[in-house]
Amino acid sequence: MDNNSLSVEEIIHSRRLLKRKKRLLLLFTMPLLIFVFITFISPIATMLYRSVYHPTVSQLIPQTLVELKRWDETAEQLPDGETLKQFTIELRQLAEQRLSGKLAEEINRLKPGSSSLIKSSARKLKRKSEAELQQQGDQLLLGYSKKWQDITVWRAIKRAGPAFTDSYYLTTFDLQRNSDGEIEQRDTQIYLKLYWKSLKIALIITLLTALLAYPLAYYLANASSKIANRLMVLVLLPFWTSLLVRTTSWIAILQTNGVVNSTLMKIGIIDQPLELLYTQFATIIAMTHILLPFMILPLYSVMKNIDPSYYRAALSLGSKPLPAFIKIYLPMTIPGVSAGALLVFIISIGYYITPAIVGGTEGQMISNIIAFHMQSSNNWELAAALGSLLLALIIGLYWLYDRYVGVNNIKLG
Amino acid sequence: MKNYPKYYSFWHILAHYGLRFSSLLVLAFLMLPILVIIPLSFNVEPFFTFTDGMLALDPEAYSLKWYAEIWHDDKWLLAIKNSFLIGICATLIATVLGTLAAIGLSNPAMPWQKLWMAILLSPMIVPLIITAAGMYFFYSQLNLAGSYLGVILAHAALGTPFVLITVNAALSGFDYSLVNASLGLGARPTFTFFKVIMPLIRPGVISGALFAFITSFDEVVVVLFLAGPEQRTIPRQMFSGLREQINPTILAVATLLILISALLLFTIEYLRARAERIQSGELDD
């Protein structure tokens, strides 16, 4: 044994020390981990769960669904009498608890037109006693309407049964199941269009911020540090100013008798005020203004570290300025451009406040429709499915960001 | 005019001026929308526009009445109180937990560092509408929706990534032998923490806290979903004001917010410059 190697005791001792150190480090980090898991990760998980979990029907008619399990929906036959009796019993209970409308609404989504069928039958069943229904509920039900003979109604009921459903994800892709259970396209394309529009708006904003930020970042990076520091305040002050303040100012600028319109009218370029506010244009210009610092800052930090002598060398060796710029300088700034572009794109795709205030109807993005389904239409499951898809999109983009830029390079200010 | 190198052509010099001009235009694009707000907040008329009197600098066209209106409106006063209360509570939670976690995470011996980092930074990356929707589902089940505690916890969660990042940056140049020396000389761990680690990372902790505060102070989407009428904050009040009926009081509030952000910006810049001087050894602290 040579002198450099450690004895067994020493190795055990150092391992024990390392273990103790790791435990100590975990002890420091644990409080925040637990906190973030409870306050942030669990809510996100709840939302993901919500997008596939829809137990309404399974809670309304649990026994019928158990009976329906025995029924082979591919056969051209109605479910057996026992099942129908069970259904009438449960429907009567729902009618008494004023819940039959809820069931009608759920089944109607899968089989349009069945809402009135279920409601009217429920009304009639309410007058019958449970014993009576146990005896001849199936006959009564089939007697109320011919539509109960339609197998597709029963297929819809069976299909609405499971507590876990993919139907909200199908909706987000503008798909649906027809009465045979096959996936088909919806007549109106709403959500895919909206996703494309949001991606398009985010892309335009990314391009605009890159175009505006590049010359300014170049100028700041090559100016004397005294000038650069002073001008940097003009970049950082908007960055620090409240989002709502900046959105407010765009209302003042763009509205019918706002700064832009009144200036243009006074100069005499236009005699009718332009419709600028509550348009897609308003969303784009306001968000470009708000996100511009997110492009300038990474570009600036990359350009600051580029040695200007490469570019000068190319010029002094006889290259024309423009080719020298394109071949020498531009490639060196690509890391900054891609960092800024991904950052702006990721932020803008999920934006909510600014489109909601200045965007009108045509300037809305995915976030706005999620908020609509949360607050106005109360279709929480659909909101959750749309949100999960947006989340998947963001995680994908973020993964790209991490791969090409590195999360640890996020700097503030 | 500057002296340009001999190999500079006419076009090159033109490009130079073009660059300067376009940079100034972009700076104007950044600043003007914010500057527009300030004079408009003194407008005597209840409009968001410059009146002829304002442009002629007529003193009659200016007034402080929208500022006075803030103080006479219970809704705004409640919103201001709430913004500070929620912001300060959320900042305290985020700063304490974030600083501790950053100390653990910045050590290379920390197992699964990258995974923890990804999870802990996620509140910053996930779009607010998703966070807000999820929190609404989850906090409602815990009866936290529509309560101060709910909004404070939510804002604290949103603020922690900023504390983590700034404290991590402050710790990146940290010499751990100082800790070992302190412990080796017999200091207790808590003493070492407050007398050795804390003074060195203080600028990072303070700017992290300021980031956490401004995150809460400026946040509106989560408040929109999670807060009841009792927890209305300034941005929430502005949001409904902008959507429902546009009242120039918003411009007065906006001007005050611009002042606050300018104040915060200069504080952070001062701290950053100081931290740089400490790290380069120019300043002993």
Side-chain angles (χ1 to χ4, degrees), chain A residues 78-97:
Chain A
L78 283 180
D80 57 31
E82 284 309 304
T83 313
L84 297 192
K85 279 175 197 159
Q86 188 59 52
F87 179 68
T88 55
I89 292 167
E90 281 185 321
L91 192 56
R92 196 191 78 93
Q93 279 168 0
L94 289 181
E96 272 186 345
Q97 297 160 357

Side-chain angles (χ1 to χ4, degrees), chain A residues 104-117:
Chain A
E105 188 190 322
E106 293 293 330
I107 307 300
N108 199 54
R109 266 191 222 164
L110 297 175
K111 169 81 183 152
S114 51
S115 172
S116 58
L117 171 69

Side-chain angles (χ1 to χ4, degrees), chain A residues 18 21-22 25-26 28-33 35-44 46-47 50 211-220 229 231 233-253 255 257-259 262 266 277-278 285 288-289 292-293 296 311-313 315-316 321 346 349-353 356-357 366-368 370-371 374-375 380-381 383-384 386-388 390-391 394 398 402 407-408 410-413, chain B residues 7-9 12 19-20 22-24 26-27 29-34 36-37 40 47-50 52 55 93-94 97-98 100-101 103-105 107 109-111 114 116-139 141-142 152-154 156-158 160-162 164-166 193 210-211 214 218 220-221 224-225 234-236 238-239 242-243 246 250-251 253-255 257-258 261-262 264-266 268-269 272:
Chain A
L18 186 66
K21 193 174 175 190
K22 279 187 179 171
L25 292 173
L26 263 176
F28 270 104
T29 316
M30 242 345 126
L32 182 61
L33 274 173
F35 180 76
V36 169
F37 260 100
I38 294 173
T39 56
F40 181 80
I41 304 290
S42 316
I44 300 287
T46 313
M47 191 201 65
R50 193 83 200 211
L211 274 176
L212 292 175
Y214 201 92
L216 179 61
Y218 180 88
Y219 182 70
L220 289 174
N229 278 339
L231 293 182
V233 172
L234 302 183
V235 178
L236 290 173
L237 187 64
F239 183 66
W240 275 89
T241 302
S242 162
L243 175 70
L244 276 149
V245 171
R246 288 190 275 169
T247 311
T248 309
S249 64
W250 282 104
I251 291 184
I253 292 169
Q255 67 177 333
N257 46 5
V259 177
S262 50
K266 239 166 227 158
L277 195 60
Y278 309 126
I285 191 154
T288 303
H289 176 246
L292 191 53
I296 296 172
Y311 181 52
R312 268 192 239 132
L315 291 184
S316 65
I346 291 173
I349 192 79
Y351 235 61
Y352 168 65
I353 291 296
I357 293 178
I366 312 167
S367 292
N368 303 102
I370 295 174
M374 287 288 296
Q375 296 176 315
W380 290 3
E381 290 81 5
L386 286 164
S388 309
L390 177 60
L391 186 63
I394 297 280
Y398 184 69
D402 188 32
V407 177
N408 293 334
I410 297 179
K411 284 200 190 82
L412 302 165
Chain B
Y7 52 80
Y8 268 38
S9 69
H12 202 114
L19 176 74
R20 191 182 281 187
S22 56
S23 300
L24 288 178
V26 176
L27 283 174
F29 173 67
L30 276 167
M31 281 306 291
L32 282 182
I34 293 167
V36 154
I37 290 279
L40 281 179
F47 306 131
F48 269 40
T49 43
F50 288 98
D52 290 331
L55 294 175
I93 299 173
L97 295 179
L100 283 178
I103 289 171
L105 282 168
N107 198 304
M110 180 79 188
K114 231 181 129 87
W116 299 136
M117 213 55 182
I119 291 172
L120 292 176
L121 291 185
S122 60
M124 198 170 68
I125 293 119
V126 174
L128 280 165
I129 189 77
I130 295 177
T131 309
M135 283 178 167
Y136 181 69
F137 293 137
F138 187 72
Y139 286 29
Q141 287 166 6
L142 301 177
I152 289 170
L153 290 179
L158 291 175
T160 52
F162 298 98
L164 209 56
I165 288 174
T166 51
F193 180 80
L210 288 177
F211 271 108
I214 201 96
D218 196 20
V220 55
V221 189
L224 215 52
F225 279 75
I234 299 172
R236 172 73 183 81
M238 288 180 83
F239 182 80
L242 290 174
R243 294 256 302 212
I246 295 183
I250 294 173
L251 295 173
V253 175
T255 306
L257 288 181
I258 294 170
S261 35
L264 280 175
L265 167 66
F266 287 117
I268 290 219
E269 281 302 292
R272 198 184 51 82

Side-chain angles (χ1 to χ4, degrees), chain A residues 163-276:
Chain A
F164 289 93
T165 169
D166 59 0
S167 68
Y168 297 102
Y169 279 99
L170 291 177
T171 310
T172 62
F173 286 106
D174 291 322
L175 301 169
Q176 62 184 14
R177 275 181 208 282
N178 62 17
S179 43
D180 295 327
E182 285 158 4
I183 293 171
E184 62 176 21
Q185 215 162 48
R186 261 172 204 277
D187 304 333
T188 45
Q189 305 274 301
I190 313 167
Y191 300 111
L192 282 184
K193 249 189 197 163
L194 192 67
Y195 271 95
W196 279 124
K197 193 171 92 179
S198 305
L199 286 171
K200 200 184 79 191
I201 291 179
L203 198 68
I204 293 172
I205 291 164
T206 309
L207 284 176
L208 278 175
T209 52
L211 274 176
L212 292 175
Y214 201 92
L216 179 61
Y218 180 88
Y219 182 70
L220 289 174
N222 291 295
S224 72
S225 68
K226 207 173 161 188
I227 292 177
N229 278 339
R230 277 186 194 160
L231 293 182
M232 210 50 175
V233 172
L234 302 183
V235 178
L236 290 173
L237 187 64
F239 183 66
W240 275 89
T241 302
S242 162
L243 175 70
L244 276 149
V245 171
R246 288 190 275 169
T247 311
T248 309
S249 64
W250 282 104
I251 291 184
I253 292 169
L254 296 178
Q255 67 177 333
T256 320
N257 46 5
V259 177
V260 169
N261 272 323
S262 50
T263 311
L264 289 178
M265 300 239 293
K266 239 166 227 158
I267 300 172
I269 296 178
I270 50 169
D271 8 278
Q272 282 286 318
L274 301 170
E275 287 293 324
L276 299 170

